[in-house]
Amino acid sequence: MTEATSMLLARLHAAGLTDVGEVEPASGGLAATAGLARRADGTPLFVKAFGEPPADDAFAAEAEGLGVLREAGGVVTPEVVLAERDLLVLSVLRPRPDTEAFWEQCAHALARLHTVTTHDRFGWHRDNWLGRRRQVNTWTDDGFEFFARHRLLRWLEEPRVREALDAADRRALERLCDRLPELLPDRPACLTHGDLWAQNVMAAPDGRPALIDPAVSYTWAEVDLAHLWTTAPPPEARVFFERYAELTGLDAGWRERMPILQLRQHLAVIAQFEPDWGAAEHVRATLAPFRERPWDDRRGTPSAGPQGEEDARDRHLR
């Protein structure tokens, strides 16, 4: 076994699961070490641990998120076998089949989650974790304020983000936050998965879509949609977006909003990973229309000049 899988085995034994004899490495996770184990009776287990947990409640919050997605939203999630400070043990899921039928099922599941769990406030009753960074979930009445303060601006003080974004980038992000009510529709909060990239979509043993690794909160449904839209889902997933839009009544402009909503995830990636897989470039591209430049106060639009391309993008975003 590798050093990582040996660590997982030692933690399983320390937690009382002494009938596990071996752990095999599992791929896919970025923030934690993961493995596949099997108990003496043949029961397979998915095992996850941090070398050093970011907080005592990181796995408890994740386990809670899996439970509430299943109980409140009807989403299939793995069963929690054990959730301790140093270890999370779950039932084993299957790799997803990349077929149109599967992704259509996924659209129905996510649409149901987002439509049956609406809430009058944005946030969650506790902070939880996005990778190894705290996700601040302070209850807020206004969705634009919540998204600006707790999903975008909160990342500016992270050391890696300070290094990646210059002062002009920071001002552009602040300017974008000021204009969120112009750029995004005023929608209610609903229960969201919170980290819905394509790798967190799997299949249950019976083939139904299942979700893992949540960072739940009540916020805009399109936060989940943006993360899935921008993380290279397979071609078969096209039907997911078409069906989800039909089921939820999305307007025709939803695709144009995805880069703004995905800023939150790009900033989180910059804060935690090196390299950042191009996240800083995506952030700067999205912020380009909001960089400071001469304005025509009479019309409230950028003045003509060498930045005409950015001006056109700015008008389009409106």
Side-chain angles (χ1 to χ4, degrees):
M1 286 193 294
T2 66
E3 181 178 347
T5 54
S6 295
M7 179 265 287
L8 292 175
L9 182 62
R11 292 193 181 178
L12 283 166
H13 288 177
L17 299 177
T18 57
D19 60 338
V20 175
E22 188 176 6
V23 179
E24 299 178 357
S27 61
L30 296 175
T33 299
L36 294 171
R38 190 173 296 275
R39 305 195 72 171
D41 64 1
T43 303
L45 301 172
F46 177 82
V47 189
K48 181 176 174 180
F50 294 105
E52 180 57 38
D56 291 346
D57 67 342
F59 286 141
E62 182 174 339
E64 179 189 48
L66 292 170
V68 75
L69 287 172
R70 181 172 57 250
E71 294 159 13
V75 175
V76 178
T77 61
E79 296 290 337
V80 178
V81 178
L82 184 71
E84 297 189 344
R85 176 185 182 275
D86 296 321
L87 188 69
L88 181 65
V89 183
L90 306 171
S91 62
V92 173
L93 299 173
R94 294 166 41 188
R96 68 170 188 265
D98 281 327
T99 63
E100 289 191 353
F102 173 84
W103 282 103
E104 181 153 4
Q105 281 186 287
C106 192
H108 281 271
L110 197 66
R112 182 174 61 250
L113 168 68
H114 290 160
T115 54
V116 305
T117 61
T118 55
H119 200 277
D120 59 355
R121 290 193 296 169
F122 292 77
W124 189 241
H125 71 95
R126 66 190 290 179
D127 289 351
N128 46 28
W129 297 85
L130 186 62
R132 297 185 60 89
R133 293 296 187 276
R134 182 175 293 278
Q135 176 169 271
V136 179
N137 293 320
T138 304
W139 287 115
T140 308
D141 292 328
D142 182 270
F144 300 110
E145 179 186 352
F146 178 80
F147 191 71
R149 180 180 298 179
H150 301 309
R151 294 297 182 263
L152 296 182
L153 298 176
R154 66 77 80 226
W155 295 105
L156 290 182
E157 299 311 311
E158 291 284 344
R160 290 185 185 274
V161 177
R162 287 203 305 267
E163 293 175 8
L165 303 183
D166 62 21
D169 295 324
R170 295 166 66 92
R171 288 194 298 271
L173 181 62
E174 292 165 354
R175 192 172 293 110
L176 178 148
C177 287
D178 289 339
R179 293 185 58 193
L180 283 177
E182 305 169 40
L183 302 168
L184 302 175
D186 188 4
R187 297 278 170 80
C190 66
L191 183 64
T192 57
H193 176 281
D195 194 10
L196 194 62
W197 66 310
Q199 290 297 104
N200 283 345
V201 180
M202 299 190 71
D206 63 5
R208 288 180 297 164
L211 304 182
I212 61 171
D213 293 349
V216 299
S217 69
Y218 287 104
T219 187
W220 293 318
E222 289 184 23
V223 171
D224 278 347
L225 194 67
H227 201 14
L228 195 55
W229 175 259
T230 56
T231 51
E236 294 82 4
R238 178 176 178 177
V239 70
F240 165 87
F241 298 101
E242 294 170 351
R243 192 68 66 244
Y244 180 91
E246 292 174 2
L247 292 167
T248 59
L250 275 182
D251 61 280
W254 68 267
R255 293 172 183 82
E256 284 70 34
R257 298 192 289 270
M258 296 295 96
I260 292 175
L261 290 160
Q262 188 63 359
L263 277 171
R264 168 256 194 175
Q265 197 68 25
H266 288 320
L267 291 165
V269 167
I270 297 169
Q272 299 184 66
F273 301 108
E274 179 61 41
D276 67 12
W277 301 289
E281 293 179 12
H282 285 296
V283 169
R284 282 190 284 269
T286 303
L287 294 180
F290 304 92
R291 283 180 172 270
E292 195 168 10
R293 55 190 181 273
W295 289 78
D296 181 338
D297 292 335
R298 184 166 49 87
R299 294 185 304 159
T301 56
S303 62
Q307 292 175 304
E309 182 179 351
E310 289 187 3
D311 295 349
R313 290 180 57 190
D314 196 25
R315 288 192 294 274
H316 176 66
L317 281 170
R318 295 185 200 192

